[in-house]
Amino acid sequence: MKKIILLIALSCVFTTKAQYGYGNNNGRQRQNQLPQTEQKAPEPNFDVERYIGIVNYDIEKAAKKSSIKLSSNVGKEFSKVLTKYNKDIKDITRINTFVLKSTKDLVENYQKKVIKTGDNSSQKKVMTKMGENLKPISEILKKEDLILDKKMKVLLSEKQYKKWIKYNRKIYKIFPKEEA
C-alpha cells in the first residue's frame, strides 16, 4: 500500500513538472524574450506611371513573348515601331514630370495621413484632384496607344497579335478601344 501511494505521488510530481516546467527556467526564459513590437504599416508607394499606363517596352522580351524573331523583316519593323513608341512615351513622361511627381506626392501624403489618423473623409477630393491632374496625360497616352495598337494589328499575324495582347495584360497595359 505504501508503494502504491509513493508511486502515485511521484507520478503526480513528474506530470506537473512536465506540464508546467517547474525547475527548468522556463519562467526566466519568458522574461528574457524580446517583447514583440507592433508591425509598422508599409510606406505608401503610389506608382503613377502604372496607374495611367505608361510602359517602356523591353523590345527583346516583347518580341520573345509575342513569338517574333527580331532578325526577320517583321521583327525589324516590330523593333522600329516599339523604339519609336518608347521614345514618344519618354518624351511625354519627361514633359509631364512635374505633374506626375506632384500627383504622386499628393496621393502618398493622403495615404500617410489616413494611416496616421484613420480619417479618409477627403478621399473623394484627392481622387478628383488626381483625375484632373492626370486627364491630359491620359488622353495623350490613349492616342499613342491607339496608334501603336493599329500598327501592331497590321504588322503581326493573328496568333502573334493575341500573344502581344496577352503580354501587355501581364505588364498591366490595356489598349483602349477605338471610339466609333
Side-chain angles (χ1 to χ4, degrees):
M1 185 73 176
K2 290 181 185 179
K3 289 181 182 179
I4 294 175
I5 294 176
L6 181 66
L7 188 65
I8 292 174
L10 283 175
S11 66
C12 288
V13 169
F14 286 128
T15 55
T16 54
K17 182 175 180 171
Q19 287 179 359
Y20 299 108
Y22 291 119
N24 65 356
N25 297 330
N26 266 353
R28 275 191 234 139
Q29 284 177 346
R30 287 188 188 131
Q31 290 174 354
N32 290 340
Q33 286 179 349
L34 294 174
Q36 291 183 347
T37 57
E38 291 183 30
Q39 289 186 349
K40 279 188 169 182
E43 284 292 314
N45 185 16
F46 181 67
D47 192 0
V48 179
E49 287 82 10
R50 184 171 167 186
Y51 179 77
I52 61 174
I54 294 176
V55 172
N56 282 311
Y57 289 100
D58 178 357
I59 296 170
E60 291 176 6
K61 187 173 181 179
K64 182 179 177 187
K65 294 286 186 177
S66 302
S67 301
I68 300 168
K69 293 182 181 175
L70 288 175
S71 58
S72 68
N73 290 337
V74 172
K76 288 176 184 173
E77 187 64 29
F78 179 80
S79 179
K80 283 181 189 175
V81 169
L82 282 186
T83 303
K84 183 183 180 324
Y85 177 81
N86 282 344
K87 182 184 174 298
D88 293 343
I89 294 300
K90 283 181 184 175
D91 289 343
I92 292 167
T93 306
R94 183 179 41 79
I95 290 168
N96 294 297
T97 301
F98 177 74
V99 174
L100 294 172
K101 177 86 171 114
S102 65
T103 304
K104 178 181 173 87
D105 291 341
L106 171 80
V107 172
E108 286 181 354
N109 288 336
Y110 166 72
Q111 289 174 341
K112 285 178 186 175
K113 183 182 140 203
V114 167
I115 289 171
K116 195 173 192 179
T117 63
D119 177 30
N120 65 349
S121 59
S122 60
Q123 180 180 8
K124 187 171 183 165
K125 186 175 104 177
V126 170
M127 295 298 286
T128 306
K129 180 79 172 157
M130 183 177 71
E132 290 171 1
N133 289 351
L134 297 177
K135 186 167 181 142
I137 302 169
S138 178
E139 294 298 320
I140 294 168
L141 288 172
K142 189 184 273 189
K143 289 176 187 172
E144 290 292 327
D145 289 345
L146 282 171
I147 292 168
L148 177 67
D149 190 44
K150 284 180 186 176
K151 287 181 181 178
M152 289 300 171
K153 269 186 182 175
V154 171
L155 182 66
L156 304 177
S157 69
E158 189 175 328
K159 188 175 180 181
Q160 288 173 330
Y161 182 73
K162 283 182 181 179
K163 288 183 178 183
W164 163 252
I165 295 297
K166 184 178 177 183
Y167 169 67
N168 279 288
R169 282 192 194 119
K170 282 187 179 178
I171 58 172
Y172 304 103
K173 179 70 172 178
I174 299 171
F175 291 106
K177 303 289 182 206
E178 272 189 76
E179 297 171 7

